[in-house]
Amino acid sequence: MRRVGVFVCHCGLNIAGTVNIKEITDAASKTPDVVVAADHRYLCSEPGQALIKDNIKQHRLDAIVVAACSPAMHEVTFRNVARAAGLNRYQSEIANIREQCSWVHDNIEKATEKAHVIIRQSIEKVKLNELLDPITVPVTRKALVIGGGIAGIRAALDVANSGHQVYLVEKTGSIGGRMAQLSETFPTLDCSICILGPLMVEAYRNPNIKILRLSEVEEVKGFIGNFKVKVRQAPVYVDETKCNSCAECVKVCPAEVPNEFDSDLTWRKAIYIPFAQAVPPAYVLDEKSCLGLLPQACGECKKACDKLGMSCINLDAHPETHELEVGAIISATGYEMYDAARLTEYGYGIYPDVMTSLEFERMLSASGPTSGIIRRPSDGRIPKEVVFIQCAGQREPETALAYCSKICCMYTARHAMLFHHKVPDGQAYVFYMDIRAGGKGYEEFVKRCQEEGGVLYLRGRVAKVHEEDDKLVVKGVDTLSGKTVQIHADVVVLAVGMVPSQGSRELANTLKASVDENGFFAEAHPKLRPLESATAGIFLAGAGQAPKDIPETVAQASGAASKALNLLSSPTLEREPTVARIVNEQCSGCGICVPACPFEALSMNTEKRIAEVAEALCEGCGTCVASCPSGALSLRNLTDTQIMAMIRAGSG
Amino acid sequence: MAHQISAATVTSPLLRKVERISGQNLSLCYQCGKCSATCPLAPQMDLMPHLVIRYLQLGLEQVFDAKSYWLCATCFSCETQCPRGLDVSKVCEALRTIKLRNDLRDLKIEKPSPEMPQQGLVSAFRKLSPY
Amino acid sequence: MQSYLYFPGCSLRTVARDFEDSARASARALGLELKEMQGWLCCGAVFPNVADNVMTNAGPNRILARARAESDTLVTLCAGCHNVLKRANLQAKRNAIKQEQINEFNEERYEGGLGVLHFLEVLRDRVGFSAIREAAKMPLRGLPVGAYYGCLLLRPFEEMKLDDPHRPSVLENLLFSIGCVPVDYPSRTECCGSFLGVGAPDAMALLSRNVVQAARSHGAKLLTVSCPLCKYNLEASQKQDPAASSSSEPLPVVYFTQLLGLALGVSPEDLRLSDTQLQTIRGSVKSTVESVSQP
Amino acid sequence: MSEPRILAFLCRWCAYAGADLAGTTRKHYDPNLISIRVTCSGRIDPSFVLKALEEGYDGVLIAGCHPGTCHYINGNYKALRRFTLLRKLLRQMGVPDERVRLEWISASESDKFVTVVNEMIENLRKLEPAIPVEPHV
């Protein structure tokens, strides 16, 4: 015989306006095992909570049901109330009579009847709840940051500066990411590498940060507080501790390939420095373009280096696997540009003077392929008329990306103004749909670009770009005047969208984190938990989670770092105890549950020939329970018996 | 006189009728103008294709006064380019259909050339006459 | 000899005999037979573009039903008919309720099961351009041709799925395989004016002239098409063009099958090529060869 | 004739949150629906559905996360597989398809939730009232 108390919240008129509170409170009080039922205008308020506590003590309750708003709102609140009154916190259940009853119905009689059913269900459930306590597990107080862009660097620095060790894993030969490629940043027109460079060096010099370049996460096992990570590092042919960037190796290297840092607008050697400010400041040997590693055929770089007595180059280097133990992981994998060649109406890849915004960005950069002079890729001439097409392949659910990349309005304004600065007698045109300039100083910046740059903004889209006598004919529309327009341009710049970096989806699988419909890392809650993935202990920063600009990225990176630090600050952590449990006697040892578990929490004990649950690994989804043919598995506080009781409670 | 906008605007009988006959959801249109930019006949139209949609969104009967929807050659350029998957040619067809079903106007053809393929004549009758 | 069931359509039996005859002759030269289907009728020229129209679906569905009785594949030539039949076929697959209405109306049932192919698809996907290259005994080396797609072969893209709607290549690849030099010009997928030639000839003429001019200014010596109505519009607009007559000869328009046939060694008479067309072709092929061999 | 009643098993990460959102945005739907919040659609044992039908519910709705978005990686795929088998069983028992539905409803798709519920009730109205499934059949 249980002693249950039922508490019904009016929530002002939110519930009381549609549900007859008196009727359901009376009905609840007559339910078997219910000792007391009471109501209050706002149960979440101090007096409301006091009412519950008083009743628990006065009636010696051993379980409570709170009929109020969704458990997403106040489940924790009322568990704490129960605990404060001396109950086990898992002896509290919520009956959601607001979001799923009073707010969605208007017939008082029907809503009252339904609220009563919902409360009955919760009573049946709470009566079968076990006494549980959170599980305590130890924490490895180190962090792993995946991705060495501005988000990863910021997050790594924040964690490291708090005294914890950080592994910063970067896929390419240098940290710096996309931000290193940019010329100036909006809205301040800071030189991008000038503000990023010092941070890169700071990360390199920080004794708590270990940078693993040319590396990728291969395997992640374990769980929050105790991850075991395997990182595969490609062969490091050039020893970064010895290399002094003398560039003798580059001079002799015979292999030339397009330089990805310059968006393939220039060439680099097979042995190269990713860019002038690269960190670690060392050369990289690109296996794919090297003329002969296996078998060694060329070796000119090594000879040149050895001649100087440096011996930094080891052509026999092998890939290495680092096994790391960390407590928290921050994923900061960033973005890449949508493939503009897929937008066939604009002729990217066919007409050399149709370029992407990132290519134009490189051209604006003083260290870029043209040393900051804007030139037409086709003939090197300085363009006079430039057309910028915003939303190229964006906000197009039927034809390309459905979403808005958020930064293009800003950088396009900047591009148009910088073009005007560099080519004063030139003319820039911008096709736009809306100008989205929300952000500190952003609207002012766009207006300034428009005014100073003499840019002609045309509200509409472009249908087609084609070549005509060494000009690009741009056919578009200005919807404000209702006229179709045609511009003979020298260069067309496509503001293509941001897409998740290649391999994000695979990494998400490895991390057991999920991605959204566009392939970006999914946050645990879009409003309230934007820095965390749904998997405990995996945090998110930067454009790998959603398109965002640099300030937002940096803010999110620091936020994710603080979340990680929160976790690393204590030697142990608590987890929800509502995990799977196995009754050994009932287990037939069939092993069906083992592959059903997505978290490898189930395994076969070969000696006893039964399955075992590793509680620390169990996330509590209950998939194994539904798969168990002998009923040996159950999910604590959501057992089959409880669900059956709830089904019955609802039907009568 | 200002066009009166009210709650009835968004459910105007005209809008509903056009949506039903064309099978298109006009609320998809966000007025980017790509249909007008791509329409080969737009330069000859008195109301740009995107404005045809806009007039309908606002329930403006004056859309029928335009000659645009008679000029639509059903080339589907707009359909191919629309980022939201709308087919403006179907909307034009719906406007023609409404007009033709209401007043049985006859297609006036200057003596067609003997070399005109049948498909041209049949298409014209199907598109521009009530039969 | 591989045989395909084939739908001619009205225009091909009257003003566009040159299209049909050249297609069947080229097919024969490639070892294919285009076997005319039984009991065909007019496809209706346009696919009903409004949602509540059942009647104009009657024609194409009767055709599909009758073709299905003979084969599982139906080949078409005219881009207009192809558009109607392919889309009617797709509708039968996608919209069961509507199909039932149509079948009741027709009292002749079509329940899918037919593949509708354009002859270009047969050439590209079944024969293959490399096989055509080998079979082209008399390649039209260096002939600069503007491939004109128009609308109905490509669009609505999601239904036709024949090629990239903005930058198609099937005609160019065919032209390559028979030695021609396809000309890239911007309006090759733009509308010729279609049926507006009947009710609004001036509107049509503006569009067609734009196509012709663009092709000419990019160096095309002739245009090739897959639709009798396109051909008529492109030719008629040039005849009526007051500006063009003084400056240059009209740009001839031929069907792609005529060029194909010529390259495969079919006689010009069997392809129904006119003297002017033939002169242009021979002139350009010859002159290009000369210009190459001169230095 | 009494109104048809539905029992919905809602995944707490998506469909339950979607149903909450319908509340927050005050989108009304038919009141003849009672929900049970589960951890994941993969938690749902086919016997729950049979039990619900046995208890006299006219319909059962299972709603989980869209493919690829499961909070527990792939619980929804397992739900789909179990559902496919369950469907076969239900057909053999003569239970019309309208009575049991599996839907993917994300936390933001309150509209879809409302549409699915209303549509399902509407479809159930057209059916004969349910004869409770005998547990031993």
Side-chain angles (χ1 to χ4, degrees), chain A residues 345 395 397-398 459 461 463 477, chain B residues 30-34 81 83 85:
Chain A
E345 68 266 40
R395 305 171 66 189
E398 290 299 317
R459 201 265 167 211
R461 275 192 186 258
V477 69
Chain B
Y30 57 8
Q31 290 289 305
C32 73
K34 210 169 181 185
Q81 293 248 4

Side-chain angles (χ1 to χ4, degrees), chain C:
Chain C
M1 184 174 268
Q2 166 111 43
S3 175
Y4 285 100
L5 195 67
Y6 152 71
F7 170 84
C10 316
S11 301
L12 268 66
R13 278 302 152 83
T14 51
V15 297
R17 291 233 61 122
D18 41 355
F19 195 6
E20 172 166 39
D21 289 357
S22 60
R24 298 182 89 162
S26 321
R28 261 194 306 280
L30 287 167
L32 306 175
E33 184 204 11
L34 294 180
K35 180 173 160 285
E36 183 173 331
M37 67 170 282
Q38 301 286 310
W40 63 267
L41 56 139
C42 173
C43 69
V46 286
F47 185 76
N49 215 14
V50 287
D52 65 351
N53 193 331
V54 174
M55 201 187 74
T56 37
N57 275 297
N61 275 283
R62 282 190 201 280
I63 295 166
L64 295 172
R66 289 168 197 183
R68 182 70 192 93
E70 287 189 75
S71 175
D72 55 7
T73 309
L74 180 65
V75 173
T76 64
L77 276 171
C78 163
C81 304
H82 178 65
N83 186 282
V84 174
L85 293 173
K86 200 174 220 175
R87 295 174 69 194
N89 194 34
L90 201 63
Q91 177 179 268
K93 203 157 114 186
R94 288 185 179 171
N95 191 339
I97 297 167
K98 180 143 201 179
Q99 195 58 25
E100 193 49 45
Q101 285 176 335
I102 295 165
N103 285 342
E104 270 178 28
F105 181 90
N106 264 355
E107 297 189 357
E108 186 167 347
R109 299 195 68 80
Y110 177 62
E111 283 157 345
L114 193 68
V116 176
L117 289 181
H118 192 269
F119 188 51
L120 275 172
E121 292 176 291
V122 175
L123 295 177
R124 180 186 62 191
D125 306 330
R126 308 266 169 120
V127 180
F129 291 138
S130 52
I132 293 174
R133 187 186 305 273
E134 274 167 39
K137 288 173 283 190
M138 298 168 70
L140 310 172
R141 286 216 196 289
L143 179 66
V145 186
Y148 178 66
Y149 289 86
C151 315
L152 299 176
L153 211 49
L154 302 171
R155 300 187 292 260
F157 161 66
E158 194 272 325
E159 294 173 55
M160 301 309 288
K161 291 231 165 87
L162 190 130
D163 209 334
D164 184 293
H166 305 294
R167 298 203 68 89
S169 60
V170 56
L171 273 173
E172 278 79 1
N173 288 338
L174 174 66
L175 291 171
F176 264 128
S177 72
I178 56 172
C180 302
V181 180
V183 171
D184 184 10
Y185 65 107
S187 42
R188 62 203 171 101
T189 62
E190 275 171 25
C191 182
C192 68
S194 184
F195 60 86
L196 293 179
V198 179
D202 294 342
M204 175 280 281
L206 276 176
L207 266 51
S208 272
R209 268 175 225 151
N210 170 39
V211 173
V212 173
Q213 275 160 15
R216 196 199 295 278
S217 71
H218 283 77
K221 288 280 189 262
L222 77 165
L223 283 168
T224 184
V225 296
S226 64
C227 170
L229 186 55
C230 297
K231 182 167 186 280
Y232 170 81
N233 283 347
L234 293 172
E235 286 173 343
S237 69
Q238 293 191 72
K239 277 181 207 154
Q240 296 153 7
D241 188 356
S245 56
S246 55
S247 59
S248 52
E249 290 293 303
L251 203 60
V253 185
V254 299
Y255 294 105
F256 69 92
T257 46
Q258 291 177 297
L259 295 177
L260 173 63
L262 213 52
L264 292 172
V266 182
S267 79
E269 295 74 41
D270 289 350
L271 298 168
R272 291 186 185 251
L273 278 162
S274 76
D275 288 346
T276 352
Q277 289 167 337
L278 206 55
Q279 259 170 17
T280 311
I281 296 169
R282 293 231 162 106
S284 302
V285 170
K286 206 161 143 247
S287 69
T288 318
V289 170
E290 273 169 7
S291 68
V292 170
S293 54
Q294 258 166 10

Side-chain angles (χ1 to χ4, degrees), chain A residues 99-310:
Chain A
E99 277 83 348
Q100 300 202 11
C101 186
S102 71
W103 273 352
V104 287
H105 309 309
D106 41 18
N107 180 324
I108 294 181
E109 196 186 324
K110 289 259 182 190
T112 305
E113 193 184 316
K114 178 170 169 179
H116 180 48
V117 173
I118 296 172
I119 294 171
R120 266 208 323 260
Q121 279 185 324
S122 298
I123 295 171
E124 290 310 315
K125 176 166 191 291
V126 82
K127 277 158 61 176
L128 294 164
N129 271 3
E130 277 183 71
L131 302 177
L132 294 175
D133 284 306
I135 301 168
T136 303
V137 286
V139 174
T140 310
R141 298 168 81 178
K142 295 178 190 173
L144 167 71
V145 175
I146 306 168
I150 178 61
I153 294 171
R154 185 68 265 163
L157 280 170
D158 283 3
V159 174
N161 289 339
S162 300
H164 297 282
Q165 211 196 325
V166 183
Y167 301 100
L168 178 56
V169 171
E170 166 58 40
K171 188 156 62 171
T172 70
S174 168
I175 60 169
R178 290 278 167 228
M179 190 177 165
Q181 284 182 284
L182 308 182
S183 61
E184 282 93 0
T185 57
F186 61 79
T188 48
L189 294 183
D190 280 311
C191 153
S192 187
I193 193 69
C194 311
I195 55 175
L196 176 67
L199 287 180
M200 291 163 64
V201 174
E202 193 186 333
Y204 186 55
R205 300 254 177 265
N206 193 312
N208 277 340
I209 299 179
K210 181 165 173 56
I211 298 175
L212 292 166
R213 60 174 179 152
L214 303 166
S215 297
E216 289 187 71
V217 171
E218 198 173 52
E219 183 187 288
V220 175
K221 288 199 160 183
F223 49 90
I224 178 170
N226 295 279
F227 292 106
K228 291 184 174 50
V229 183
K230 275 189 192 160
V231 172
R232 186 185 186 277
Q233 188 167 35
V236 179
Y237 297 102
V238 184
D239 186 340
E240 64 194 58
T241 58
K242 291 189 196 160
C243 175
N244 68 354
S245 311
C246 71
E248 287 303 314
C249 54
V250 177
K251 286 182 197 154
V252 296
C253 177
E256 260 190 307
V257 288
N259 186 350
E260 53 281 73
F261 185 76
D262 277 336
S263 300
D264 292 352
L265 292 168
T266 55
W267 300 85
R268 65 160 170 82
K269 295 292 184 66
I271 191 160
Y272 67 108
I273 189 139
F275 50 97
Q277 299 85 347
V279 165
Y283 282 74
V284 178
L285 180 63
D286 168 13
E287 290 179 301
K288 283 189 203 94
S289 42
C290 179
L291 285 187
L293 274 167
L294 291 171
Q296 241 179 64
C298 169
E300 289 299 325
C301 51
K302 185 174 164 54
K303 281 178 222 157
C305 189
D306 290 349
K307 208 166 12 174
L308 291 166
M310 297 292 296

Side-chain angles (χ1 to χ4, degrees), chain D residues 54-67:
Chain D
E54 179 197 328
E55 286 289 330
Y57 281 100
D58 301 87
V60 179
L61 169 66
I62 300 170
C65 304
H66 283 272

Side-chain angles (χ1 to χ4, degrees), chain A residues 182-490:
Chain A
L182 308 182
S183 61
E184 282 93 0
T185 57
F186 61 79
T188 48
L189 294 183
D190 280 311
C191 153
S192 187
I193 193 69
C194 311
I195 55 175
L196 176 67
L199 287 180
M200 291 163 64
V201 174
E202 193 186 333
Y204 186 55
R205 300 254 177 265
N206 193 312
N208 277 340
I209 299 179
K210 181 165 173 56
I211 298 175
L212 292 166
R213 60 174 179 152
L214 303 166
S215 297
E216 289 187 71
V217 171
E218 198 173 52
E219 183 187 288
V220 175
K221 288 199 160 183
F223 49 90
I224 178 170
N226 295 279
F227 292 106
K228 291 184 174 50
V229 183
K230 275 189 192 160
V231 172
R232 186 185 186 277
Q233 188 167 35
V236 179
Y237 297 102
V238 184
D239 186 340
E240 64 194 58
T241 58
K242 291 189 196 160
C243 175
N244 68 354
S245 311
C246 71
E248 287 303 314
C249 54
V250 177
K251 286 182 197 154
V252 296
C253 177
E256 260 190 307
V257 288
N259 186 350
E260 53 281 73
F261 185 76
D262 277 336
S263 300
D264 292 352
L265 292 168
T266 55
W267 300 85
R268 65 160 170 82
K269 295 292 184 66
I271 191 160
Y272 67 108
I273 189 139
F275 50 97
Q277 299 85 347
V279 165
Y283 282 74
V284 178
L285 180 63
D286 168 13
E287 290 179 301
K288 283 189 203 94
S289 42
C290 179
L291 285 187
L293 274 167
L294 291 171
Q296 241 179 64
C298 169
E300 289 299 325
C301 51
K302 185 174 164 54
K303 281 178 222 157
C305 189
D306 290 349
K307 208 166 12 174
L308 291 166
M310 297 292 296
S311 322
C312 318
I313 300 174
N314 170 17
L315 294 176
D316 296 322
H318 290 290
E320 224 182 306
T321 302
H322 302 269
E323 297 196 8
L324 314 175
E325 292 197 359
V326 295
I329 299 176
I330 297 174
S331 171
T333 48
Y335 72 98
E336 54 194 59
M337 306 305 286
Y338 180 80
D339 179 9
R342 289 168 65 182
L343 310 168
T344 44
E345 68 266 40
Y346 300 135
Y348 177 85
I350 293 156
Y351 309 130
D353 297 332
V354 178
M355 49 208 298
T356 67
S357 43
L358 191 60
E359 287 164 358
F360 193 75
E361 186 77 45
R362 285 309 300 149
M363 219 169 245
L364 288 172
S365 170
S367 62
T370 53
S371 309
I373 299 166
I374 299 169
R375 294 188 181 280
R376 298 203 333 159
S378 61
D379 56 11
R381 283 209 331 252
I382 291 173
K384 293 284 184 251
E385 316 235 9
V386 177
V387 170
F388 294 91
I389 301 176
Q390 288 191 185
C391 301
Q394 302 187 61
R395 305 171 66 189
E396 299 193 9
E398 290 299 317
T399 35
L401 302 175
Y403 54 88
C404 159
S405 291
K406 209 173 178 181
I407 60 167
C408 320
C409 289
M410 296 305 299
Y411 72 62
T412 300
R414 175 169 59 83
H415 284 175
M417 181 165 75
L418 292 176
F419 166 67
H420 180 69
H421 285 178
K422 289 177 191 260
V423 187
D425 61 338
Q427 178 64 50
Y429 308 89
V430 176
F431 282 93
Y432 74 102
M433 281 167 61
D434 303 286
I435 294 179
R436 297 180 166 175
K440 196 168 175 174
Y442 284 16
E443 170 65 15
E444 297 89 320
F445 179 75
V446 171
K447 290 319 284 179
R448 182 184 149 201
C449 293
Q450 289 176 341
E451 287 154 18
E452 271 182 35
V455 187
L456 181 57
Y457 270 73
L458 296 154
R459 201 265 167 211
R461 275 192 186 258
V462 169
K464 191 173 191 170
V465 176
H466 70 264
E467 211 169 39
E468 195 95 53
D469 303 330
D470 116 84
K471 287 271 187 183
L472 292 165
V473 181
V474 179
K475 288 174 78 176
V477 69
D478 175 56
T479 58
L480 299 178
S481 60
K483 298 266 180 246
T484 50
V485 294
Q486 191 161 311
I487 298 171
H488 287 256
D490 297 308

